[in-house]
Amino acid sequence: MKKTERVNLIMRYINNRAHFTIAEIQKEFKISRSTAIRDINEIQSLGFPLTTELGRGGGYHVLQNQYLPAARFTPEELKAIFISFIASKNSQLPYLHNRRSITEKLIGIASQAQQDELLELNHILLFENTNPAHPQLLELDDAAPPELNQLISLAVRDRHLRVKYELIPGWPQLLDVYLLHIFNSNAQWLVEAYEFETDEFRYLPVDMLRDSEISEQEMKCSEQEIRIKKRLRAQDANLVVKLDATGIQRFKRLHPPGIILSFTGMFQSSGIFQVQLDVSDGEALAYYADWLLFLGKGVQFERIPDELRLILEERLTSLREL
């Protein structure tokens, strides 16, 4: 049993008891005394209301046999949470159907004066992807891919998954993968995954995945080994680029999936990213050349393949001749 799953089970176990001992936890979950103590300490750090009783026959008491009392927010905290909901409209978020009920509950715990302020905020603030003529409108394309919710629910339990990847409709591939991240890039949800069969890291569009489930196969390598592989391959990147503030802003507007920008200057004034390009893929090289020109004049190359450099020089020559 994984640690996270065990801790959750222990929390449910002790929440139904007014008193328990370490020995009872050991017996119930078949774990050592040191493991039981570590798990209880972690549960306490999460805010579970426990008190200890020393001496023979001692143990732990659960305060009022329940979780912590209802959270109370300051006016600034309420505004911060409410604004995050406004800002996420038309952003293709998972579990979108819960947005309305959560917002109603949030407003419900506020005082009348706070409710008035929150509603006024909703009229004042406009964010990207909001229709100014109809701020309350949720566009039809706001809905995330149907597979996204299921994928997230599976991944929080186990990242070793069996997915059906349907790049061409009617021609699905069964992939045994370890899921590293789920992220949104250029208005598209993607899965960063390590595929065991090919020993490759891939970016799979969520809307092309079907019938995901937890894999029943034995993992061919551990999570730590997978992350070491990723780190070593990142070090072998043949394209390393520094960006100025203008380049960073343009990067945020458009970038190929899977590229991580690391900020190197205060106030996001400079940054760097690295990519491993397949220099035999002419179409990909042409795309990167056009994109790098889009990033602006502040681009500096720490490392660049000769094949890509030649295409960039040709593009720049053509621009000067215009």
Side-chain angles (χ1 to χ4, degrees):
M1 182 186 301
K2 292 187 175 182
K3 178 183 177 182
T4 303
E5 182 181 353
R6 185 181 69 245
V7 168
N8 288 334
L9 289 174
I10 294 175
M11 287 178 69
R12 295 193 190 102
Y13 175 86
I14 64 180
N15 192 52
N16 294 320
R17 288 160 176 76
H19 176 271
F20 67 93
T21 65
I22 290 294
E24 290 172 346
I25 297 295
Q26 287 181 251
K27 182 179 178 181
E28 180 70 22
F29 295 95
K30 297 179 176 59
I31 55 178
S32 67
R33 178 177 177 80
S34 59
T35 299
I37 291 174
R38 281 198 301 270
D39 288 349
I40 294 299
N41 288 339
E42 180 171 340
I43 289 170
Q44 284 183 297
S45 70
L46 294 172
F48 202 98
L50 298 177
T51 60
T52 55
E53 181 181 339
L54 302 176
R56 190 172 182 179
Y60 293 83
H61 288 276
V62 183
L63 297 180
Q64 300 179 349
N65 197 28
Q66 62 181 14
Y67 288 104
L68 291 175
R72 302 194 181 279
F73 298 101
T74 66
E76 290 73 21
E77 289 170 337
L78 275 174
K79 290 188 182 75
I81 299 172
F82 191 76
I83 287 171
S84 70
F85 277 94
I86 300 173
S88 65
K89 284 181 181 177
N90 301 314
S91 298
Q92 296 186 342
L93 294 182
Y95 307 106
L96 182 64
H97 60 280
N98 295 323
R99 183 202 302 271
R100 183 181 182 87
S101 62
I102 293 173
T103 304
E104 289 174 350
K105 290 176 183 177
L106 184 64
I107 294 177
I109 65 175
S111 66
Q112 185 60 53
Q114 290 172 335
Q115 288 182 21
D116 293 341
E117 287 185 348
L118 295 179
L119 294 175
E120 190 62 25
L121 273 176
N122 198 28
H123 293 127
I124 293 172
L125 295 174
L126 287 181
F127 291 90
E128 189 176 9
N129 304 323
T130 300
N131 186 331
H134 302 284
Q136 304 301 324
L137 181 68
L138 292 177
E139 302 290 353
L140 290 177
D141 63 356
D142 186 34
E147 184 76 10
L148 184 59
N149 289 9
Q150 180 189 358
L151 198 63
I152 293 174
S153 298
L154 289 171
V156 296
R157 292 162 49 201
D158 195 325
R159 296 199 192 187
H160 184 201
L161 302 178
R162 180 87 163 175
V163 301
K164 187 185 293 183
Y165 180 45
E166 197 168 8
L167 179 61
I168 302 173
W171 296 87
Q173 294 177 268
L174 286 177
L175 305 179
D176 187 38
V177 303
Y178 182 84
L179 186 147
L180 291 162
H181 299 102
I182 303 172
F183 63 98
N184 190 290
S185 176
N186 301 327
Q188 182 182 33
W189 282 98
L190 299 166
V191 170
E192 181 188 9
Y194 172 75
E195 186 184 352
F196 290 97
E197 185 68 26
T198 60
D199 188 31
E200 294 290 340
F201 292 91
R202 302 183 62 178
Y203 296 98
L204 307 174
V206 172
D207 58 6
M208 293 182 182
L209 300 181
R210 309 282 185 271
D211 304 324
S212 300
E213 60 183 13
I214 293 175
S215 178
E216 296 181 355
Q217 299 186 24
E218 184 177 352
M219 285 179 58
K220 297 178 180 178
C221 51
S222 67
E223 176 185 355
Q224 183 180 5
E225 289 170 333
I226 292 170
R227 296 192 179 279
I228 290 173
K229 285 185 180 186
K230 183 184 177 185
R231 188 163 59 249
L232 291 175
R233 294 182 191 183
Q235 292 173 356
D236 295 333
N238 55 8
L239 176 63
V240 180
V241 182
K242 289 184 175 180
L243 298 180
D244 61 2
T246 299
I248 289 172
Q249 292 305 313
R250 295 185 180 184
F251 179 98
K252 290 179 179 179
R253 288 167 55 190
L254 177 67
H255 60 268
I259 295 183
I260 304 299
L261 177 66
S262 301
F263 297 115
T264 55
M266 294 182 64
F267 309 112
Q268 300 186 10
S269 59
S270 60
I272 189 170
F273 67 84
Q274 52 191 19
V275 186
Q276 177 64 40
L277 289 179
D278 179 1
V279 296
S280 65
D281 188 342
E283 186 176 343
L285 290 177
Y287 171 83
Y288 269 86
D290 292 336
W291 176 62
L292 290 167
L293 290 172
F294 163 74
L295 294 179
K297 297 179 179 179
V299 169
Q300 296 181 17
F301 297 104
E302 281 201 353
R303 199 179 308 158
I304 181 173
D306 291 336
E307 294 84 352
L308 179 58
R309 186 190 301 276
L310 287 172
I311 297 175
L312 279 171
E313 290 174 353
E314 290 174 1
R315 294 279 200 278
L316 290 171
T317 301
S318 298
L319 289 172
R320 292 191 193 103
E321 292 174 352
L322 291 177

